[in-house]
Amino acid sequence: MAMEVRMSEATRDKSAQPASVHGRASVVGPPNRPEPDRVPEHKPPSGPEPQRVAGPFSGLLVIDLTHVLNGPFGTTILGDLGARVIKIERPGHGDDTRTFGPFFMGQSLYFSFVNRGKESIALNLKAEADRAVFLNMVRQADILTENFRPGAMDRLGCSFGELSKINPRLIYASSTGFGQTGPLRTFPAYDTIVQGMSSLMSLTGFPDGPPTRVGTSVSDLVGGTFMFCGIAAALYAREKTGVGCHVDVSMLDGTFCFLEQGLMHYAATGKPAERIGNRHPYMTPFDTFEASDRQFVICCGNDHLFGELCKAIGRPELTVDARFLTDPDRNKNAAALKIEMEVALKRQPAEHWLKVIHEAGVPVGPILDSAEAAELPQIKARNMWIEAGGVKMPGNPVKLSGYDDPPVRAGAPALDQHGPALRAEFAAVDSAGLTDGFHLMVDALKLNGLDTMYGVAGIPVTDLARLAQAEGIRYVGFRHEQSAGNAAAIAGYLTRKPGVCLTVSAPGFLNGLTALANATTNGFPMIQISGSSDRAKVDLQRGAYEELDQMNAAKPFAKAAYRVDRVEDIGLGVARALRTALSGRPGGVYLDLPGSVLNATLDGRAGARSLIRVVDPEPRQPPAPEAVQRALDLLARAERPLIVLGKGAAYAQVDAGIREFIEKTGIPFQPMSMAKGLLPDDHPQSTMATRSYALANADMVMLVGARLNWLLAHGESPPWSRDARFVQLDIDPTEIDSNRAIDAPVVGDIASSVSALLAALAPGQIKPRASWVEALAQKKRHNVERMAQHLAAKHTPMGFFGALGAIKEVLADKPDVFVVNEGANTLDLARDVLEMRTPRKRIDSGTWGVMGIGMGYAIGASVVSGNPVVAIEGDSAFGFSGMEIETICRYHLPIVTVVFNNGGIYRGDGVNLAGGADPSPTTLMRGARYDKLIEAFGGASYYAVDPPGLANALSAALAAGEPALIDCAIDPSIGTESGHIGKLNPRSAVSVGPHV
Ligand code: TPW
Ligand code: MG
């Protein structure tokens, strides 16, 4: 105590905190300020994590199953001394203390104080895949700690006996309330229970007050401390014996042996000791004393010091007082002595006495509150009030010469923060510590958050699909690879994470390749992973099973094609595929995996090291400031500006920014098909209902993530004005001037470009002419009225408009429903009729106008979102992927397929010009009942012949939330050949007979 005071004064001048320790006012430097009544998500600090500290325990691996306080306190010391501590927590909830206050910077300080520097993984030890990871950790661990009630670990099959079988060197430490043996072994224990039961509570407090709990959870902490001691001892023993042992410590044992004189008294007299306040039972004066302002402590251990003390406080006569001559005398008359001393002490403040008594050589010390203690220069000098993860907390109490004791340490982890990395590191290895290509592939995907796979199983990827599913990747098995690929592609579009499609060699690969090519064309991130045959045979064309040079076949159809030729390159292959698929303009990447690589083995640790977690796979690419300025200057000069929103704008997921730009500038906008809903279709600035007028008359066009390809007539006149000028926002510089001169290219990712435009936009800088806005509005009113008439048509058989009018009504109050759409008339008319209100809910044939995407897209959208899907399919379009309704039923997906059944491609009344029995090239089966198909798989079937019937069927199907198919009988004679793009359809110059 005396030393402490001297140190605090000696360091006062040098200290950045100009503090005396004796007054609250001197306490500077903010403590962690609690944020009351909130249970926030634990946010780990950003920035690089401080490295684990090197210490005497560096190299030791601790699996920490402890929770709450006692065990975590002990394992924190292990970590402070260099051990690597992996905290295993319950999935979803984690350590109970994560929800305990006080909170600071989004973290529970209760949790952070005793879990700093640890790694966290959420594992369910009852689930096979998690258990495999756990057992692999056990195989490699030095120490396992747990503080469950005895029996709990046994029930999990994780007793010391069981685990030491797979790792005899394992030190297994159990820290419990009452220990592994004895009648109370399974009793629940909390600190206060143990303080009471150990008698500590009866020894604490003043004689005239009730038994009192010590002001911290000392019984808990004692358990953790002794656990640490036990582990240290067991480590030393293991050096000699080569085997680990079971460390069994208890809070009660630990507290009991801390009772010191409480038990001495009982041992000597047979009577319990009594609580005596702050006094020492055998030394006097050794107590708290009252100065004029506050209490402080004097500890006087012998007669000589007593003499010095009396002189120092100006009461030398007390030394000759018969009541106080010897220590036993003073013990007997402690109360009287205290009164005599306080007569003097109360005349001066504590600060005065601390100095005077200390100078007399008598141990003396202040009584600080916790804020003062934390700011004590001595605490600082010893690195005992450190920073970890941005919060203040007590440091490492065990100092060792030759080892660093840094004042800034790694913080406590968020729940499962290190889960993906740890799962990869402790990937399944066999008993010889080997892993293989299958496992590495699964681990590489999981490490990068690729958690779903769409595919068709078979040689050589069956085990890959099986293992992926076992390891927690969702595997969705399809009937045809093209649909699996389409599902992966749309998943990529919706989530900005590449969708993964798994195919078998040669034919399966080729089936999937269509989807990969389509994804690339549409800018959807996707990875097709395909097994392939033995390279040695394929390359010499020796006729291998499913022989095909797949990588080279894929190249022209994908953004990139890679092959993994060595098992140790799997991590690299996945990393390259992921980054290529996502960065720049997203697209499809092919990854070739020869069967021989999948079943090649590798040392488990080397395998784990070979995996790569891709950092920032989709880096922002902000546009040049001058490009942004040029675009704004140009737009400011426009009289009749128009914004065209493309799929790229929808993909960017900067919906609010795009809306803000459009609304701030007042520029009318035209959404491309899949950008519908980015702003609601009924937005006053939408030109949906007056597209041709808008295109023909705009004098300035701003393309946002929309390419000037065939879908926009290559920017040519007509439909565009010859004099229109163009601004184009695109990630890919080669899109600029691809069809027409672009006056202001803004090359960058859409998110960055939109925010740069918003930041540079001056209020009122851009303003379309009122006459332009009014002309558009007028045209719109006219067209909307005309459309309403079409939609109200209730012919039987139904026309397209009648059917779509019914669907439009049912979907009007269901903005979360995805609309998937393909066909010719079915596609074109549904696009115009069905209003979209939320972004990325309309998915259709896209850039290629491809048929066959319907069921795959519907399944992908449903799997990633869980939302209901309505797939509106031409009868021809449906046929391309119709078998996937079995997939839909097998996975119970809430997808309602509506087949617009007009008996053919475009229409159902085609004529065989040869007059033979065969149907015409555009004819499909008359009167087919597609609803019967889904009955085979237990789905709900409906047959609708008029708009009210269709509306009822759709409402019922959506309400059920189950797979359903509605066959919708459409007049076979009203379709237009090629729908809205008939002009792209070459017609024979020499008549081939009557056209319909
Ligand atoms: C992979 C050519 C464009 S539209 C269409 C075909 C076959 C079908 C139109 O008939 P549907 O619609 O679906 O019954 P509707 O309402 O007009 O009767 N193969 C592929 N993609 C395309 N685009 C085609 C063929 C095509
Ligand atoms: Mg049709």
Side-chain angles (χ1 to χ4, degrees), residues 482 514 800 822-827 848-852 873-878 880 900 902-907 924 975-976 978-979:
Q482 189 178 120
T514 310
F800 288 101
E822 61 177 333
N825 295 285
T826 303
L827 174 76
W848 263 354
V850 73
M851 296 300 108
E873 302 275 312
D875 54 341
S876 163
F878 174 67
F880 289 80
F900 273 17
N902 63 351
I905 298 176
Y906 314 129
R907 48 197 289 153
L924 295 172
T976 307
S978 304

mmCIF file of all heavy atoms in Angstrom, residues 482 514 800 822-827 848-852 873-878 880 900 902-907 924 975-976 978-979, ligand 1:
data_model
loop_
_atom_site.group_PDB
_atom_site.id
_atom_site.type_symbol
_atom_site.label_atom_id
_atom_site.label_comp_id
_atom_site.label_asym_id
_atom_site.label_seq_id
_atom_site.Cartn_x
_atom_site.Cartn_y
_atom_site.Cartn_z
ATOM 1 N N GLN A 482 -29.557 -27.367 -67.456
ATOM 2 C CA GLN A 482 -29.803 -25.997 -67.910
ATOM 3 C C GLN A 482 -30.647 -25.238 -66.881
ATOM 4 O O GLN A 482 -30.405 -24.073 -66.603
ATOM 5 C CB GLN A 482 -30.514 -26.008 -69.260
ATOM 6 C CG GLN A 482 -30.584 -24.640 -69.866
ATOM 7 C CD GLN A 482 -31.254 -24.661 -71.227
ATOM 8 O OE1 GLN A 482 -32.264 -24.027 -71.428
ATOM 9 N NE2 GLN A 482 -30.686 -25.396 -72.161
ATOM 10 N N THR A 514 -25.302 -23.806 -71.580
ATOM 11 C CA THR A 514 -26.279 -22.846 -72.118
ATOM 12 C C THR A 514 -26.603 -21.788 -71.073
ATOM 13 O O THR A 514 -26.650 -20.593 -71.363
ATOM 14 C CB THR A 514 -27.588 -23.578 -72.491
ATOM 15 O OG1 THR A 514 -27.247 -24.697 -73.298
ATOM 16 C CG2 THR A 514 -28.528 -22.661 -73.221
ATOM 17 N N PHE A 800 -54.960 -12.699 -74.307
ATOM 18 C CA PHE A 800 -53.824 -12.418 -73.424
ATOM 19 C C PHE A 800 -54.153 -11.307 -72.434
ATOM 20 O O PHE A 800 -53.841 -11.390 -71.254
ATOM 21 C CB PHE A 800 -52.591 -12.017 -74.243
ATOM 22 C CG PHE A 800 -51.978 -13.161 -74.989
ATOM 23 C CD1 PHE A 800 -52.202 -13.331 -76.346
ATOM 24 C CD2 PHE A 800 -51.172 -14.071 -74.328
ATOM 25 C CE1 PHE A 800 -51.644 -14.383 -77.037
ATOM 26 C CE2 PHE A 800 -50.592 -15.127 -75.017
ATOM 27 C CZ PHE A 800 -50.835 -15.288 -76.374
ATOM 28 N N GLU A 822 -41.734 -15.769 -69.509
ATOM 29 C CA GLU A 822 -41.123 -16.098 -70.805
ATOM 30 C C GLU A 822 -42.198 -16.524 -71.788
ATOM 31 O O GLU A 822 -43.292 -16.919 -71.394
ATOM 32 C CB GLU A 822 -40.038 -17.177 -70.659
ATOM 33 C CG GLU A 822 -40.561 -18.493 -70.111
ATOM 34 C CD GLU A 822 -39.500 -19.578 -70.039
ATOM 35 O OE1 GLU A 822 -38.533 -19.539 -70.827
ATOM 36 O OE2 GLU A 822 -39.645 -20.466 -69.189
ATOM 37 N N GLY A 823 -41.837 -16.483 -73.045
ATOM 38 C CA GLY A 823 -42.776 -16.765 -74.133
ATOM 39 C C GLY A 823 -42.583 -15.673 -75.175
ATOM 40 O O GLY A 823 -41.583 -14.952 -75.136
ATOM 41 N N ALA A 824 -43.506 -15.546 -76.083
ATOM 42 C CA ALA A 824 -43.414 -14.446 -77.051
ATOM 43 C C ALA A 824 -44.483 -13.422 -76.704
ATOM 44 O O ALA A 824 -44.223 -12.459 -75.983
ATOM 45 C CB ALA A 824 -43.554 -14.963 -78.472
ATOM 46 N N ASN A 825 -45.721 -13.680 -77.125
ATOM 47 C CA ASN A 825 -46.812 -12.778 -76.732
ATOM 48 C C ASN A 825 -46.942 -12.748 -75.208
ATOM 49 O O ASN A 825 -47.152 -11.703 -74.606
ATOM 50 C CB ASN A 825 -48.120 -13.248 -77.361
ATOM 51 C CG ASN A 825 -48.062 -13.139 -78.879
ATOM 52 O OD1 ASN A 825 -48.143 -12.042 -79.427
ATOM 53 N ND2 ASN A 825 -47.857 -14.262 -79.551
ATOM 54 N N THR A 826 -46.805 -13.918 -74.629
ATOM 55 C CA THR A 826 -46.929 -14.026 -73.174
ATOM 56 C C THR A 826 -45.906 -13.120 -72.482
ATOM 57 O O THR A 826 -46.193 -12.504 -71.459
ATOM 58 C CB THR A 826 -46.714 -15.500 -72.752
ATOM 59 O OG1 THR A 826 -47.663 -16.307 -73.442
ATOM 60 C CG2 THR A 826 -46.876 -15.679 -71.262
ATOM 61 N N LEU A 827 -44.728 -13.043 -73.040
ATOM 62 C CA LEU A 827 -43.665 -12.226 -72.445
ATOM 63 C C LEU A 827 -43.919 -10.748 -72.692
ATOM 64 O O LEU A 827 -43.896 -9.931 -71.773
ATOM 65 C CB LEU A 827 -42.316 -12.630 -73.054
ATOM 66 C CG LEU A 827 -41.112 -11.788 -72.648
ATOM 67 C CD1 LEU A 827 -40.680 -12.149 -71.235
ATOM 68 C CD2 LEU A 827 -39.942 -12.014 -73.606
ATOM 69 N N TRP A 848 -30.947 -12.273 -74.236
ATOM 70 C CA TRP A 848 -31.008 -13.172 -75.381
ATOM 71 C C TRP A 848 -32.437 -13.502 -75.810
ATOM 72 O O TRP A 848 -32.638 -14.183 -76.812
ATOM 73 C CB TRP A 848 -30.285 -14.484 -75.043
ATOM 74 C CG TRP A 848 -28.870 -14.536 -75.533
ATOM 75 C CD1 TRP A 848 -28.243 -13.622 -76.317
ATOM 76 C CD2 TRP A 848 -27.926 -15.584 -75.284
ATOM 77 N NE1 TRP A 848 -26.956 -14.025 -76.583
ATOM 78 C CE2 TRP A 848 -26.732 -15.224 -75.959
ATOM 79 C CE3 TRP A 848 -27.952 -16.776 -74.582
ATOM 80 C CZ2 TRP A 848 -25.585 -16.028 -75.931
ATOM 81 C CZ3 TRP A 848 -26.826 -17.562 -74.550
ATOM 82 C CH2 TRP A 848 -25.640 -17.193 -75.220
ATOM 83 N N GLY A 849 -33.387 -13.106 -74.987
ATOM 84 C CA GLY A 849 -34.768 -13.504 -75.279
ATOM 85 C C GLY A 849 -34.893 -15.012 -75.294
ATOM 86 O O GLY A 849 -35.569 -15.588 -76.141
ATOM 87 N N VAL A 850 -34.252 -15.646 -74.355
ATOM 88 C CA VAL A 850 -34.124 -17.099 -74.420
ATOM 89 C C VAL A 850 -35.322 -17.794 -73.780
ATOM 90 O O VAL A 850 -35.892 -17.330 -72.803
ATOM 91 C CB VAL A 850 -32.815 -17.546 -73.736
ATOM 92 C CG1 VAL A 850 -32.905 -17.428 -72.237
ATOM 93 C CG2 VAL A 850 -32.439 -18.956 -74.154
ATOM 94 N N MET A 851 -35.740 -18.889 -74.387
ATOM 95 C CA MET A 851 -36.777 -19.736 -73.794
ATOM 96 C C MET A 851 -36.086 -20.810 -72.944
ATOM 97 O O MET A 851 -34.994 -21.259 -73.282
ATOM 98 C CB MET A 851 -37.588 -20.450 -74.879
ATOM 99 C CG MET A 851 -38.375 -19.525 -75.795
ATOM 100 S SD MET A 851 -39.579 -18.496 -74.948
ATOM 101 C CE MET A 851 -38.776 -16.905 -75.056
ATOM 102 N N GLY A 852 -36.731 -21.185 -71.876
ATOM 103 C CA GLY A 852 -36.190 -22.272 -71.039
ATOM 104 C C GLY A 852 -35.666 -21.804 -69.705
ATOM 105 O O GLY A 852 -35.195 -22.602 -68.909
ATOM 106 N N GLU A 873 -45.877 -18.355 -68.159
ATOM 107 C CA GLU A 873 -45.159 -19.079 -69.183
ATOM 108 C C GLU A 873 -46.009 -19.294 -70.428
ATOM 109 O O GLU A 873 -47.140 -19.786 -70.322
ATOM 110 C CB GLU A 873 -44.792 -20.479 -68.647
ATOM 111 C CG GLU A 873 -43.954 -20.470 -67.385
ATOM 112 C CD GLU A 873 -42.486 -20.344 -67.721
ATOM 113 O OE1 GLU A 873 -42.006 -21.087 -68.603
ATOM 114 O OE2 GLU A 873 -41.850 -19.471 -67.104
ATOM 115 N N GLY A 874 -45.456 -18.955 -71.605
ATOM 116 C CA GLY A 874 -46.102 -19.413 -72.828
ATOM 117 C C GLY A 874 -46.077 -20.931 -72.827
ATOM 118 O O GLY A 874 -45.210 -21.546 -72.203
ATOM 119 N N ASP A 875 -47.019 -21.571 -73.525
ATOM 120 C CA ASP A 875 -47.042 -23.041 -73.493
ATOM 121 C C ASP A 875 -45.790 -23.614 -74.144
ATOM 122 O O ASP A 875 -45.258 -24.627 -73.688
ATOM 123 C CB ASP A 875 -48.324 -23.604 -74.120
ATOM 124 C CG ASP A 875 -48.593 -23.098 -75.546
ATOM 125 O OD1 ASP A 875 -48.016 -22.054 -75.923
ATOM 126 O OD2 ASP A 875 -49.388 -23.725 -76.259
ATOM 127 N N SER A 876 -45.290 -22.931 -75.160
ATOM 128 C CA SER A 876 -44.036 -23.396 -75.747
ATOM 129 C C SER A 876 -42.888 -23.160 -74.771
ATOM 130 O O SER A 876 -42.106 -24.066 -74.483
ATOM 131 C CB SER A 876 -43.755 -22.656 -77.056
ATOM 132 O OG SER A 876 -42.409 -22.819 -77.413
ATOM 133 N N ALA A 877 -42.817 -21.966 -74.230
ATOM 134 C CA ALA A 877 -41.733 -21.619 -73.310
ATOM 135 C C ALA A 877 -41.668 -22.604 -72.144
ATOM 136 O O ALA A 877 -40.603 -23.085 -71.761
ATOM 137 C CB ALA A 877 -41.919 -20.206 -72.793
ATOM 138 N N PHE A 878 -42.841 -22.940 -71.607
ATOM 139 C CA PHE A 878 -42.896 -23.841 -70.457
ATOM 140 C C PHE A 878 -42.257 -25.191 -70.766
ATOM 141 O O PHE A 878 -41.584 -25.796 -69.936
ATOM 142 C CB PHE A 878 -44.357 -24.028 -70.030
ATOM 143 C CG PHE A 878 -44.531 -25.042 -68.947
ATOM 144 C CD1 PHE A 878 -44.037 -24.809 -67.666
ATOM 145 C CD2 PHE A 878 -45.180 -26.257 -69.203
ATOM 146 C CE1 PHE A 878 -44.190 -25.762 -66.660
ATOM 147 C CE2 PHE A 878 -45.334 -27.207 -68.198
ATOM 148 C CZ PHE A 878 -44.838 -26.956 -66.925
ATOM 149 N N PHE A 880 -39.740 -26.018 -72.318
ATOM 150 C CA PHE A 880 -38.279 -26.119 -72.260
ATOM 151 C C PHE A 880 -37.770 -26.573 -70.885
ATOM 152 O O PHE A 880 -36.701 -27.130 -70.775
ATOM 153 C CB PHE A 880 -37.632 -24.775 -72.609
ATOM 154 C CG PHE A 880 -37.750 -24.387 -74.056
ATOM 155 C CD1 PHE A 880 -38.909 -23.832 -74.558
ATOM 156 C CD2 PHE A 880 -36.684 -24.591 -74.928
ATOM 157 C CE1 PHE A 880 -39.025 -23.467 -75.885
ATOM 158 C CE2 PHE A 880 -36.789 -24.232 -76.266
ATOM 159 C CZ PHE A 880 -37.967 -23.670 -76.753
ATOM 160 N N PHE A 900 -49.790 -20.041 -70.197
ATOM 161 C CA PHE A 900 -50.691 -19.402 -71.162
ATOM 162 C C PHE A 900 -50.774 -20.317 -72.380
ATOM 163 O O PHE A 900 -49.919 -20.285 -73.273
ATOM 164 C CB PHE A 900 -50.151 -18.011 -71.559
ATOM 165 C CG PHE A 900 -50.597 -16.911 -70.619
ATOM 166 C CD1 PHE A 900 -51.095 -17.201 -69.349
ATOM 167 C CD2 PHE A 900 -50.526 -15.572 -71.003
ATOM 168 C CE1 PHE A 900 -51.506 -16.187 -68.490
ATOM 169 C CE2 PHE A 900 -50.936 -14.544 -70.156
ATOM 170 C CZ PHE A 900 -51.432 -14.854 -68.888
ATOM 171 N N ASN A 902 -51.991 -21.380 -75.551
ATOM 172 C CA ASN A 902 -52.691 -21.058 -76.809
ATOM 173 C C ASN A 902 -52.371 -22.081 -77.880
ATOM 174 O O ASN A 902 -52.580 -21.850 -79.062
ATOM 175 C CB ASN A 902 -52.361 -19.632 -77.283
ATOM 176 C CG ASN A 902 -50.894 -19.457 -77.609
ATOM 177 O OD1 ASN A 902 -50.088 -20.352 -77.321
ATOM 178 N ND2 ASN A 902 -50.536 -18.331 -78.214
ATOM 179 N N GLY A 903 -51.808 -23.211 -77.453
ATOM 180 C CA GLY A 903 -51.627 -24.326 -78.380
ATOM 181 C C GLY A 903 -50.517 -24.129 -79.381
ATOM 182 O O GLY A 903 -50.500 -24.767 -80.425
ATOM 183 N N GLY A 904 -49.549 -23.268 -79.067
ATOM 184 C CA GLY A 904 -48.464 -23.167 -80.021
ATOM 185 C C GLY A 904 -47.467 -22.064 -79.750
ATOM 186 O O GLY A 904 -47.588 -21.293 -78.792
ATOM 187 N N ILE A 905 -46.473 -22.069 -80.613
ATOM 188 C CA ILE A 905 -45.485 -21.005 -80.610
ATOM 189 C C ILE A 905 -46.149 -19.802 -81.281
ATOM 190 O O ILE A 905 -46.570 -19.923 -82.447
ATOM 191 C CB ILE A 905 -44.225 -21.449 -81.379
ATOM 192 C CG1 ILE A 905 -43.595 -22.658 -80.689
ATOM 193 C CG2 ILE A 905 -43.230 -20.311 -81.529
ATOM 194 C CD1 ILE A 905 -42.394 -23.256 -81.405
ATOM 195 N N TYR A 906 -46.333 -18.762 -80.547
ATOM 196 C CA TYR A 906 -47.020 -17.527 -80.976
ATOM 197 C C TYR A 906 -48.534 -17.673 -81.063
ATOM 198 O O TYR A 906 -49.269 -16.793 -80.651
ATOM 199 C CB TYR A 906 -46.510 -16.999 -82.322
ATOM 200 C CG TYR A 906 -45.003 -16.981 -82.440
ATOM 201 C CD1 TYR A 906 -44.371 -17.550 -83.545
ATOM 202 C CD2 TYR A 906 -44.210 -16.402 -81.440
ATOM 203 C CE1 TYR A 906 -42.986 -17.532 -83.646
ATOM 204 C CE2 TYR A 906 -42.824 -16.390 -81.540
ATOM 205 C CZ TYR A 906 -42.212 -16.959 -82.645
ATOM 206 O OH TYR A 906 -40.861 -16.952 -82.753
ATOM 207 N N ARG A 907 -48.976 -18.758 -81.651
ATOM 208 C CA ARG A 907 -50.422 -19.004 -81.726
ATOM 209 C C ARG A 907 -50.652 -20.465 -82.033
ATOM 210 O O ARG A 907 -49.723 -21.195 -82.347
ATOM 211 C CB ARG A 907 -51.090 -18.079 -82.750
ATOM 212 C CG ARG A 907 -50.388 -18.022 -84.096
ATOM 213 C CD ARG A 907 -50.823 -16.830 -84.892
ATOM 214 N NE ARG A 907 -52.190 -16.977 -85.366
ATOM 215 C CZ ARG A 907 -52.991 -15.936 -85.628
ATOM 216 N NH1 ARG A 907 -52.557 -14.706 -85.446
ATOM 217 N NH2 ARG A 907 -54.212 -16.123 -86.077
ATOM 218 N N LEU A 924 -48.523 -26.625 -81.217
ATOM 219 C CA LEU A 924 -48.348 -27.568 -80.106
ATOM 220 C C LEU A 924 -49.698 -28.238 -79.880
ATOM 221 O O LEU A 924 -50.689 -27.878 -80.511
ATOM 222 C CB LEU A 924 -47.866 -26.847 -78.852
ATOM 223 C CG LEU A 924 -46.461 -26.219 -78.999
ATOM 224 C CD1 LEU A 924 -46.142 -25.351 -77.777
ATOM 225 C CD2 LEU A 924 -45.394 -27.284 -79.176
ATOM 226 N N GLY A 975 -52.486 -14.638 -81.189
ATOM 227 C CA GLY A 975 -51.086 -14.264 -80.988
ATOM 228 C C GLY A 975 -50.480 -13.630 -82.223
ATOM 229 O O GLY A 975 -50.948 -13.832 -83.335
ATOM 230 N N THR A 976 -49.433 -12.843 -81.999
ATOM 231 C CA THR A 976 -48.701 -12.233 -83.104
ATOM 232 C C THR A 976 -47.422 -13.024 -83.304
ATOM 233 O O THR A 976 -46.733 -13.339 -82.331
ATOM 234 C CB THR A 976 -48.315 -10.785 -82.741
ATOM 235 O OG1 THR A 976 -49.499 -10.105 -82.345
ATOM 236 C CG2 THR A 976 -47.658 -10.081 -83.902
ATOM 237 N N SER A 978 -43.847 -13.974 -83.481
ATOM 238 C CA SER A 978 -42.653 -13.390 -82.866
ATOM 239 C C SER A 978 -42.964 -12.288 -81.846
ATOM 240 O O SER A 978 -42.073 -11.572 -81.412
ATOM 241 C CB SER A 978 -41.680 -12.823 -83.917
ATOM 242 O OG SER A 978 -41.333 -13.835 -84.828
ATOM 243 N N GLY A 979 -44.223 -12.148 -81.466
ATOM 244 C CA GLY A 979 -44.562 -11.145 -80.454
ATOM 245 C C GLY A 979 -44.213 -9.757 -80.946
ATOM 246 O O GLY A 979 -44.461 -9.420 -82.100
HETATM 247 C C1 TPW B 1 -33.856 -21.463 -76.509
HETATM 248 C C2 TPW B 1 -37.527 -19.099 -80.222
HETATM 249 C C3 TPW B 1 -39.062 -17.391 -79.203
HETATM 250 S S1 TPW B 1 -40.529 -17.292 -78.430
HETATM 251 C C4 TPW B 1 -40.831 -18.914 -78.510
HETATM 252 C C5 TPW B 1 -39.823 -19.555 -79.164
HETATM 253 C C6 TPW B 1 -39.794 -21.035 -79.402
HETATM 254 C C7 TPW B 1 -42.055 -19.538 -77.950
HETATM 255 C C8 TPW B 1 -43.286 -18.691 -78.106
HETATM 256 O O1 TPW B 1 -44.389 -19.434 -77.787
HETATM 257 P P1 TPW B 1 -45.030 -19.419 -76.406
HETATM 258 O O2 TPW B 1 -45.557 -17.959 -76.287
HETATM 259 O O3 TPW B 1 -44.000 -19.599 -75.367
HETATM 260 O O4 TPW B 1 -46.110 -20.393 -76.372
HETATM 261 P P2 TPW B 1 -46.797 -17.302 -77.011
HETATM 262 O O5 TPW B 1 -47.535 -16.659 -75.901
HETATM 263 O O6 TPW B 1 -46.323 -16.286 -77.987
HETATM 264 O O7 TPW B 1 -47.556 -18.397 -77.645
HETATM 265 N N1 TPW B 1 -35.387 -21.602 -78.399
HETATM 266 C C9 TPW B 1 -34.827 -20.847 -77.467
HETATM 267 N N2 TPW B 1 -35.074 -19.554 -77.340
HETATM 268 C C10 TPW B 1 -35.908 -18.965 -78.231
HETATM 269 N N3 TPW B 1 -36.107 -17.658 -78.099
HETATM 270 C C11 TPW B 1 -36.559 -19.722 -79.219
HETATM 271 C C12 TPW B 1 -36.253 -21.047 -79.275
HETATM 272 C C13 TPW B 1 -38.779 -18.679 -79.552
#
